[in-house]
Amino acid sequence: MYEKILLESPLGPRMRIEGKEYDYFCGTSYYCLHGHERLIRAACEAARNYGLGPATGWGVPPLREVERLSSTFFGTPAAKYMVSGYFGNFFLVHALKEEYHVIFVDEVSHYSVFDAIRSVEKPIHPFAHLDPEDLRLKLKGHLGPGQVPLVITDGVFPVTGALAPLRDYVEVLAPYGGILCVDDSHGVGVLGANGRGSLEHWGVEGERCYLAGTLSKAFGGFGGIIPGDEELMERISQNVRVPVGASPPPVPAAAASAEGIRILSEHPELRERLWGNVAYLRGKLRGLGFAVEESPVPIISLRPVGDLDLSEVQKKLMQMGTMVKYVPPRGYSDAPEVGTIRIAVFSEHSREQFDRLVEALRTCL
Ligand SMILES: Cc1ncc(COP(=O)(O)O)c(C=O)c1O
């Protein structure tokens, strides 16, 4: 599904779209780092110093720097950088394939999760969305004696912003010595005291829990990242051919990603500001009558109240200078059966922008 709107300015809380300025509440650049002066400068300098890339090899400083900075950010001995976050789940399930026998997957996990698990030759059993009790039943029903399960799920679901109950999953998995893999594309940089994502948020960082993240969203850069120990890195190099068989991420994009990691490491107050903005807007939307739960996730999903047509609401908001995304029924991996509005909250949004959005919404009710 291609975006119909054409963005004509660097990413920010106000955007130029087809000649007009809007308050912008779309996408995934939760700190607006894609439009940040420091990232743009880093990308330009890297292009001047190293060109676009080494053409298939990995021997250029910005690529190494991304892995070094990521391992520090995530508090792991190492990290693997790759050309796209979409590949992260593929890397994990292949790297670990000698360690498990059967895969259990949240039924509305991201496309990248399903593409990854279908590429390993293991039985796959979906379990009900966000439901540890159903997972427990599925494990009981499908695991043979001595078999080890791998559970895989999005940490934060991209359309609804729902948080997977990872602590519950870990408890359910424990008696089987199971493995948890999380596609944390929307969690990394945002959740947890240090921004390490969903595993940190739920306090389940550890041996049997793995995450695949992206630098293309909160970090403002480009490419996927898997933090981990040397053993995981070794398993990746043994079982995954992508790093040797495909070109690395473009070097200017790597340099921008490295700068994004530096900014989020140096400025924890950005996370505080984002969480403050999220709490503020969630509260205001509840005040309007929408069922919006308390959560630190900067993705807010509005479901129809009564017979409200949210696709019409989105159009009206646009006429009033506010851009939010309408997601049609089942229009994306985790999109519900009803049309919804997805609001992305940024650390750079002002309270005035939230108030304008809420007032504009009020006129549509
Ligand atoms: C849940 C999820 N996983 C993976 C990806 C892919 O990440 P990337 O854009 O870095 O390839 C996305 C992108 O939108 C996503 O929402």
Side-chain angles (χ1 to χ4, degrees), residues 84-86 89 110 112 154 156 158 183 185-186 214 216-217 223-224 332:
S84 158
Y86 201 97
N89 308 300
H110 192 251
S112 59
D154 297 19
V156 174
D183 174 340
S185 297
H186 296 267
T214 183
S216 311
K217 301 186 191 300
Y332 199 74

Side-chain angles (χ1 to χ4, degrees), residues 71-149:
S71 70
T72 306
F73 187 91
F74 289 99
T76 51
K80 186 74 198 161
Y81 186 33
M82 69 205 69
V83 72
S84 158
Y86 201 97
F87 269 126
N89 308 300
F90 178 91
F91 273 53
L92 277 181
V93 295
H94 281 273
L96 299 167
K97 69 183 177 196
E98 288 92 10
E99 299 282 299
Y100 64 92
H101 304 96
V102 185
I103 296 173
F104 297 84
V105 58
D106 183 295
E107 63 187 350
V108 300
S109 296
H110 192 251
Y111 307 124
S112 59
V113 170
F114 278 98
D115 284 351
I117 62 179
R118 285 179 188 130
S119 72
V120 260
E121 286 168 9
K122 308 271 183 180
I124 297 170
H125 299 284
F127 61 92
H129 184 41
L130 304 173
D131 188 344
E133 281 317 306
D134 191 52
L135 173 61
R136 194 191 302 277
L137 291 176
K138 295 276 157 62
L139 291 174
K140 258 197 193 139
H142 296 290
L143 278 176
Q147 285 195 316
V148 176

Side-chain angles (χ1 to χ4, degrees), residues 49 107-108 110 155-156 167-168 224 229 291 304 308 310 328 331 333 344 348:
N49 291 339
E107 63 187 350
V108 300
H110 192 251
V156 174
R167 193 176 307 146
D168 296 341
D229 57 16
L308 196 63
L310 290 179
S333 50
E348 306 311 292

